[in-house]
Amino acid sequence: PLADRLARRASRGAGMRGDWVLVRPDVPIVGILGTLLCTYTFVGIFRLVYGGVEVFSPETFRFWALRNSFHVLHSDWGFGRLLLGQPQLTTVLAAGFPIVTLFELFAPLCLVSRRFRQLFLLVMVPFHLLSWLVLDVFFWETLALYPLLLLDGARLKPAQAVA
């Protein structure tokens, strides 16, 4: 029923059977993005509720980076080990974590604000890449969906019926 409301039959002339044309092609994309963005919000809420402010300390960040660096699939990997000799680097990376958490909490704003969407991408793409390098945690599926965030609703126009 919902799909029927989003589609209409494009007639090709009197009495001819037409093909279904999606009237609102942005709805499925918005649904996918809404699901993706809500997962960020849930992660941010979980981090604040169960982690508290301790999760933002450099010592906590260093612990997880080192823990994950010694449990890697490839022995050459594990850039988190570099944090042992670089406490300033750990502090800088940990300082960015509250900023990432704020963007996670407000991620659904990407659906309504182009400016926030651009800022979100500027924060989250480096976050995911640094998480991959330092923490050995990589969500490639999430990064694969990021190009959808670059689309504007105005660019998704309904298909025109062929007469």
Side-chain angles (χ1 to χ4, degrees):
L2 178 60
D4 292 342
R5 290 187 205 141
L6 299 175
R8 65 176 163 82
R9 227 176 248 281
S11 63
R12 295 188 182 164
M16 297 186 73
R17 188 175 167 101
D19 295 322
W20 287 98
V21 177
L22 198 58
V23 175
R24 294 289 316 257
D26 57 335
V27 170
I29 292 173
V30 170
I32 292 168
L33 288 177
T35 303
L36 169 69
L37 296 169
C38 282
T39 60
Y40 278 109
T41 302
F42 296 145
V43 166
I45 291 169
F46 182 87
R47 185 178 300 128
L48 290 175
V49 170
Y50 292 102
V53 290
E54 297 85 26
V55 77
F56 300 114
S57 74
E59 292 77 24
T60 303
F61 189 83
R62 187 178 301 114
F63 167 79
W64 285 107
L66 291 173
R67 180 191 172 277
N68 290 359
S69 291
F70 288 101
H71 290 91
V72 294
L73 296 174
H74 306 286
S75 59
D76 298 345
W77 203 252
F79 290 106
R81 297 177 200 170
L82 297 174
L83 298 179
L84 277 174
Q86 303 292 328
Q88 302 86 359
L89 181 60
T90 305
T91 304
V92 169
L93 291 174
F97 204 42
I99 295 167
V100 168
T101 301
L102 281 174
F103 274 90
E104 287 175 335
L105 290 171
F106 295 106
L109 286 177
C110 289
L111 295 174
V112 294
S113 170
R114 179 187 304 177
R115 181 87 169 136
F116 186 82
R117 187 168 52 242
Q118 292 168 344
L119 290 172
F120 181 84
L121 289 170
L122 284 173
V123 169
M124 296 311 283
V125 169
F127 165 72
H128 279 290
L129 295 176
L130 284 170
S131 293
W132 177 43
L133 292 173
V134 177
L135 299 173
D136 196 35
V137 176
F138 189 53
F139 298 102
W140 65 268
E141 301 91 346
T142 303
L143 284 178
L145 290 173
Y146 275 0
L148 291 178
L149 285 172
L150 298 174
L151 296 175
D152 287 329
R155 294 184 191 163
L156 299 169
K157 297 192 177 171
Q160 298 297 321
V162 178

